[in-house]
Amino acid sequence: GMVGSAIYRQLKKNGYKELLIATRKELNLLNTDAVEKWFKKNKPDIVILAAAKVGGIEANSRYSGDFILENLKIQTNIIENSWINKVKRFIFLGSSCIYPKFSPQPIKEEYLLSGPLETTNEPYAIAKIAGIKLCTSLKKQYGFDVINLMPTNLYGPGDNYHETNSHVMPALIKKFYDATQNKVSKVTCWGTGNPKREFLFVEDLAEASIFFLEKISSNNELLFDKNSLFNGIINIGSGTDISIKELANLISEEIGFQGDILWDVSKPDGTPRKLLDVSKANKLGWVAKTNLHDGIKKTIRDFISGIKENTIRA
């Protein structure tokens, strides 16, 4: 996937050589027996859990049962076997959707479970919260060495551009690119365009994952709440947000779409705003490097390059 591939590239860049990578064909993470056998055979020292079933509002709404069931299975299989096989350090990648729909902004780590979730992605969010709680409970009872990183909305090379299952950034890129190629004069987007979202370039998340893997102890005081209880959560984001309407204008301009942008207000907006408070990550020494404009340009170039490669192969 996009995240796992970015982390793999960053690990290689940082000089890691003994990387244990299994493709989906080689290892079905939903299969408990297969995961157990893989861990017993390979005995990894470090595990970064980037695998998950993900998608946008439409996919979450249509396949809600799959989203909670598959993510719970993946997480439980990987986390339990990491603990059983005495993994020295575990990095769990969650999502900013774990926080309540109407959290105060920017969202602090301690706002977890302080209110109701956004209904359009509640099953996915509950699965991720369960993963966090499993990790923190194993830390409390058995000393499991874990840090839970909560990234905001991710985008970048290798993203999913499926027409119904993609997130907002790749969905908009594909919409405007297709409209330009097909000389369509109008593009319709979901909702009002008013919700604001924060975006993080996937390579920045990869750098954050390695930074916290190497530099930060799971016993760091910032991973504990005011009652000295471990939550192990660190928000990972850019610290700035943009409205979906502004994002659509930015992407359409970069692609060269000259037509009209329409908004289908009968479709859901989702959470009104979701900006993470990244002050803990910044205090610990990590700051996002890629600004949104540069990240979008790189992502669009990668998307178009992928289309050209597929065309040549066909």
Side-chain angles (χ1 to χ4, degrees), residues 173-200:
I173 289 173
K174 180 170 173 54
K175 271 180 181 287
F176 289 115
Y177 178 82
D178 288 349
T180 302
Q181 293 298 302
N182 297 322
K183 296 181 171 54
V184 175
S185 62
K186 297 178 181 178
V187 166
T188 300
C189 301
W190 274 35
T192 63
N194 295 325
K196 302 189 79 172
R197 292 289 182 271
E198 177 185 15
F199 294 93
L200 181 71

Side-chain angles (χ1 to χ4, degrees), residues 161-179:
Y161 295 92
H162 191 276
E163 290 185 4
T164 57
N165 295 342
S166 60
H167 287 110
V168 61
M169 178 81 79
L172 289 173
I173 289 173
K174 180 170 173 54
K175 271 180 181 287
F176 289 115
Y177 178 82
D178 288 349

Side-chain angles (χ1 to χ4, degrees), residues 99-100 103-104 110-116:
Y99 295 113
S103 285
E110 54 262 35
Y111 294 164
L112 179 66
L113 297 178
S114 63

